[in-house]
């Protein structure tokens, strides 16, 4: 069973930056489509960002557009970064990485698209 591993979450001050990393272990002959989601206490999990299997298409939630950047370290998308800047308290959440071998970009913002999920990494923004 493939399980992505997230890292990089920590406590950061308002206005600060963080880079999260998602690492997908094991070998794959096909590239992954990878998404980032987050869940704040008492709230539903929400889409943050995603990268298509080709790496050419990037997707962002309106709330993070212009502040977050998703990127890949390789053509198989087995190491994915989420660079976050100008962080504020509303970005405080548990951040999850999710992956699928589906190459389709339909429903890329939906949790239902993804087959493999990590355990999450905590980002806490304090003033």
């Amino acid at each position: 069973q493939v399980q992505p591993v997230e890292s990089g979450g920590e406590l950061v001050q308002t206005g600060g930056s963080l880079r999260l990393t998602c690492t997908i272990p094991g070998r794959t002959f096909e590239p992954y489509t990878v998404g980032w989601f987050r869940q704040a206490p008492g709230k539903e999990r929400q889409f943050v960002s995603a990268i298509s299997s080709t790496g050419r298409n990037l997707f962002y939630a309106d709330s993070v557009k212009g502040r977050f950047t998703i990127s890949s370290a390789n053509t198989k998308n087995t190491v994915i970064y989420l660079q976050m800047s100008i962080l504020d308290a509303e970005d405080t959440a548990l951040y999850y990485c999710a992956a699928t071998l589906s190459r389709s970009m339909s429903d890329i913002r939906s949790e239902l698209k993804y087959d493999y999920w990590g355990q999450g990494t905590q980002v806490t923004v304090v003033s």
Side-chain angles (χ1 to χ4, degrees):
Q1 178 72 4
V2 174
Q3 182 166 42
V5 178
E6 305 93 338
S7 61
E10 61 183 65
L11 191 146
V12 64
Q13 288 198 323
T14 299
S17 299
L18 273 181
R19 188 177 79 166
L20 304 184
T21 302
C22 171
T23 303
I24 304 174
R27 295 189 65 180
T28 178
F29 294 106
E30 301 294 330
Y32 290 101
T33 296
V34 179
W36 285 97
F37 292 78
R38 67 186 182 185
Q39 187 167 22
K43 295 188 177 180
E44 292 188 354
R45 192 155 56 185
Q46 62 177 200
F47 170 78
V48 176
S49 182
I51 185 167
S52 66
S53 60
T54 63
R56 291 197 288 265
N57 301 94
L58 310 178
F59 302 83
Y60 298 97
D62 288 344
S63 59
V64 307
K65 204 172 290 184
R67 299 189 299 122
F68 290 14
T69 303
I70 191 169
S71 62
S72 178
N74 56 50
T75 57
K76 294 292 196 297
N77 290 346
T78 56
V79 178
I80 297 293
Y81 303 112
L82 185 68
Q83 179 68 46
M84 309 187 295
S85 60
I86 319 175
L87 288 163
D88 63 33
E90 301 224 336
D91 296 314
T92 294
L94 188 61
Y95 282 71
Y96 295 92
C97 175
T100 177
L101 288 170
S102 168
R103 294 193 177 206
S104 169
M105 288 185 281
S106 66
D107 300 320
I108 202 166
R109 299 168 187 264
S110 170
E111 292 185 39
L112 298 177
K113 180 172 183 68
Y114 298 90
D115 302 303
Y116 312 113
W117 288 82
Q119 301 275 349
T121 185
Q122 179 67 40
V123 173
T124 303
V125 184
V126 297
S127 55

